Amino acid sequence: MVFESGQVITRRYLRGGRCTWAQPMRVLADDEQGLLLWHPAGSEFARLVDADGRTQHELTVDRMRDPKLTVLTWQDYDLLVLMPPKAAHSVWWFFQAGSFAGWYVNLEEPYVRRPDGVDSDDLVLDIVVTPQRQWEWKDADEFDGRIGHPLYFDQETAAEVRAEGDRLTKLIEAGEFPFDGAYTDFRPDPHWPALRLPADLA
């Protein structure tokens, strides 16, 4: 199953049998380098929010009170996302007002294709990278707090996640792909509209 350039698919994260994140993405390429996707500011996305307005960053999914997938509007940054095949991460390029503003490494399970998109499991730990390739861990405390939880990961898996992050920080520091300047001059087709989620997000 190969997605066509220009096709709009839905990128989802799942946890404990429920969708926790959904994002419509325009396919730019689907080849041996991976899925290259576009999501402009002003587009819809959805995240799991409970009755008290809390998200997964604040508590585990099983402790959320009446959680619902809530549609929101993506603000401030346009996103270019590369999902390499069979990789336990995706790399995001942030653009603000047309200028490259940095990378974001999202550690996640290798994606699984559906006819209308891809599914993954977010692995909590992330890396924020400036345009000058200065980097820092993001959500490290949250990651440590999820270790051993049955809906998240055990010690062994957590060590593998951290090792994948360490491998990527070496690429960052060396300026190797995808942190070598690739796509930092990307400009979208000005006629591409903001993206909307399908009615059925389940």
Side-chain angles (χ1 to χ4, degrees):
M1 183 194 312
V2 176
F3 298 117
E4 298 293 329
S5 178
Q7 182 178 353
V8 176
I9 65 172
T10 305
R11 183 174 182 269
R12 304 190 307 176
Y13 289 133
L14 308 176
R15 174 77 60 198
R18 72 163 67 230
C19 180
T20 60
W21 176 274
Q23 194 174 26
M25 312 289 290
R26 183 177 299 278
V27 176
L28 304 185
D30 186 5
D31 53 29
E32 66 281 352
Q33 205 169 70
L35 259 178
L36 187 65
L37 307 169
W38 177 250
H39 182 89
S43 296
E44 293 180 343
F45 75 103
R47 73 186 313 168
L48 199 66
V49 180
D50 81 354
D52 302 312
R54 295 175 299 185
T55 71
Q56 284 190 91
H57 286 296
E58 295 161 280
L59 73 173
T60 56
V61 170
D62 56 310
R63 294 181 56 218
M64 298 177 84
R65 186 168 71 88
D66 192 24
K68 289 183 171 57
L69 202 58
T70 303
V71 177
L72 305 164
T73 300
W74 188 261
Q75 304 285 346
D76 300 329
Y77 294 99
D78 299 322
L79 294 180
L80 190 67
V81 175
L82 178 65
M83 303 181 73
K86 301 180 181 178
H89 70 273
S90 61
V91 178
W92 307 10
W93 285 253
F94 280 73
F95 296 87
Q96 191 166 41
S99 297
F100 175 63
W103 295 273
Y104 188 90
V105 178
N106 202 81
L107 296 166
E108 58 194 48
E109 293 286 353
Y111 65 84
V112 176
R113 292 174 184 256
R114 310 184 323 273
D116 59 348
V118 291
D119 290 343
S120 180
D121 248 346
D122 181 60
L123 294 172
V124 182
L125 187 63
D126 305 308
I127 308 168
V128 178
V129 190
T130 71
Q132 296 75 35
R133 299 186 184 87
Q134 301 298 309
W135 63 269
E136 64 181 12
W137 297 108
K138 182 176 181 292
D139 301 327
D141 290 344
E142 181 184 339
F143 174 76
D144 290 342
R146 299 296 188 261
I147 296 172
H149 190 289
L151 290 181
Y152 290 82
F153 28 77
D154 57 19
Q155 289 281 358
E156 181 179 355
T157 302
E160 293 170 356
V161 174
R162 180 71 78 167
E164 177 73 350
D166 288 339
R167 186 183 70 81
L168 287 157
T169 62
K170 290 179 173 60
L171 296 182
I172 294 165
E173 291 170 352
E176 295 184 19
F177 183 83
F179 310 102
D180 57 352
Y183 304 123
T184 56
D185 59 352
F186 176 78
R187 297 294 179 270
D189 185 322
H191 300 294
W192 287 345
L195 301 174
R196 300 289 173 252
L197 283 161
D200 180 8
L201 300 179

